Amino acid sequence: MTPPALRPLAAQVVGRYSGCSRYARGFVQGKLLTDPATGAILRLATRAGGFGRVADLGCGRGQVGLALLLAGLAESVAGLDLDAGKIRDAKGAAEGLPARFEAADLALAPVPPCDTVLIFDVLLQMPISAQLDLIDRMGAAASRRVVIRAFDPDCGWRARLGSAMEEAGRRLRRDGSAFRPLPLERLAEPLRRRGFAIQVRPCWGWTPLPNVMLTAERAA
């Protein structure tokens, strides 16, 4: 299989957000076209022959799950996010597709049974104990794999710059958000205990950030 061409796929996805605000449509388009994770996840799903049933945790407006569905790389998507407004956008965009989106607190909500769990940039906002608990529950729910886009705090100058950028952003936003990135080995630990094999690849693309894609595959 060949990964789908990103621009036509992004246009198809964005078209489904016609009932949303201009800001929401621009956000979805920007994330799909400029976030290095988009291409990385499409390539990974292509190599895997599809992700099967996907649970997208911290799904936002749901654009990654919808891209996987429209590319034929997922059978269904169950998305959870704390932001009810974003979930409303996701539900509207997903009409007619095998996808369901719900507002939920990931520290409390059950992880939907699935073949593949996706979680991008969410864990580091949670207390450490909640991060580890959620990772363990993700491993219990996923029959095939868990994919985490993570901030590597041990990635040299990228980590130092990324931490400084995050701290500056938190001061500007004043939203009380947390920033607790764990070493990659600690993220992997609960998944190793459940029998997953771990691979870590850079996922920073054109950015100076220390983002990586941690993929945990269950033994066949």
Side-chain angles (χ1 to χ4, degrees), residues 176-192:
S177 59
F179 180 64
R180 303 183 183 95
L182 288 175
L184 300 182
E185 189 54 40
R186 286 203 71 188
L187 295 179
E189 210 171 90
L191 298 169
R192 289 192 201 280

Side-chain angles (χ1 to χ4, degrees), residues 15 25 35 39 43 46 50 58 61 63 69 78 85 91 96 119 127 137 147 149 185 187 189 194 197 208-209:
R25 294 195 302 274
D35 189 336
R43 290 190 294 272
T46 300
R61 292 181 173 87
Q63 67 274 355
L69 285 171
K91 285 181 175 180
I119 186 165
R137 291 188 288 117
V147 184
R149 203 260 288 268
E185 189 54 40
L187 295 179
E189 210 171 90
R194 287 192 174 272
L209 300 174

Side-chain angles (χ1 to χ4, degrees), residues 27 102 113 145:
F27 180 89
E102 301 293 338
R145 70 186 57 80

Side-chain angles (χ1 to χ4, degrees), residues 31-205:
K31 289 294 284 183
L32 290 173
L33 291 178
T34 67
D35 189 336
T38 305
I41 208 69
L42 291 171
R43 290 190 294 272
L44 179 59
T46 300
R47 287 196 300 269
F51 276 169
R53 300 167 299 143
V54 173
D56 187 1
L57 307 185
C59 63
R61 292 181 173 87
Q63 67 274 355
V64 170
L66 298 192
L68 289 168
L69 285 171
L70 293 173
L73 294 172
E75 296 171 11
S76 64
V77 172
L80 303 178
D81 197 278
L82 190 61
D83 190 319
K86 292 178 180 179
I87 288 295
R88 188 164 52 249
D89 289 346
K91 285 181 175 180
E95 188 172 350
L97 295 176
R100 59 184 178 87
F101 295 96
E102 301 293 338
D105 182 346
L106 295 179
L108 303 173
V111 177
C114 59
D115 300 307
T116 302
V117 173
L118 306 179
I119 186 165
F120 296 171
D121 310 328
V122 171
L123 289 166
L124 80 177
Q125 300 176 41
M126 303 173 71
I128 290 172
S129 60
Q131 292 186 48
L132 297 174
D133 175 69
L134 178 56
I135 294 169
D136 185 63
R137 291 188 288 117
M138 286 162 27
S143 68
R144 297 183 194 168
R145 70 186 57 80
V146 173
V147 184
I148 301 171
R149 203 260 288 268
F151 182 108
D152 181 357
D154 299 314
C155 193
W157 67 267
R158 289 180 180 273
R160 292 191 294 273
L161 179 59
S163 296
M165 291 170 62
E166 180 62 31
E167 181 60 30
R170 290 172 63 219
R171 288 182 180 180
L172 286 172
R173 293 191 303 269
R174 297 182 180 179
D175 58 3
S177 59
F179 180 64
R180 303 183 183 95
L182 288 175
L184 300 182
E185 189 54 40
R186 286 203 71 188
L187 295 179
E189 210 171 90
L191 298 169
R192 289 192 201 280
R193 286 200 301 267
R194 287 192 174 272
F196 288 86
I198 309 297
Q199 280 194 326
V200 177
R201 296 184 178 91
C203 191
W204 47 69

